[in-house]
Amino acid sequence: MTTKIFDFLLYGAATIVILSIMSSATVAERKYKEQVDDIELIEVEEPLIIEEEEVDLTSEIVFTSQPSCGPCKAFERDCVPALRKAGWRMTKAGPDSRGTPSFDLCLGGKVVASKSGYRNRRSFFQWVRNVIARDR
């Protein structure tokens, strides 16, 4: 009888701990989604300097991707539609010697920055903003 009471108390306490962890995770996920939804889109602006008439004025992000790559799928879902809507050309390429996903940011037809790896929409957009600000 004593072991049944002990087992009941032990399982009850474990259930309470598991439910509180799940609740904390749900709250953290909700806060993260609110932060991600607050991210401003990056609008493509006209180039600042045009030296020749035949300069490629394309603002493009070339990214590598693999079908089985979780971060690749997350990038394509979270960022590609928003960047296309903002005027960016998004070009998907096959894997190269770098890890996937990897990114080449092109302004005026030239690669101005590269990086590998994707964490989340906010950090990716911040990287794009920093590159644009640096190259102005």
Side-chain angles (χ1 to χ4, degrees), residues 2-3 8 24 30-31 45 53-54 58 70 76 83-84 89 95 99 101 104 129-130 132-133 136:
T2 309
T3 58
F8 178 75
S24 297
R30 190 173 302 126
K31 286 181 182 178
E45 298 177 7
E53 287 185 22
E54 296 198 22
T58 304
E76 290 184 48
L83 289 165
R84 281 193 174 130
R89 180 186 293 166
D104 293 323
R129 280 189 199 96
N130 291 343
I132 291 170
R136 283 193 172 180

Side-chain angles (χ1 to χ4, degrees), residues 74-91:
F75 171 75
E76 290 184 48
R77 178 188 64 242
D78 298 343
C79 296
V80 170
L83 289 165
R84 281 193 174 130
K85 186 176 179 181
W88 287 85
R89 180 186 293 166
M90 302 300 296
T91 304

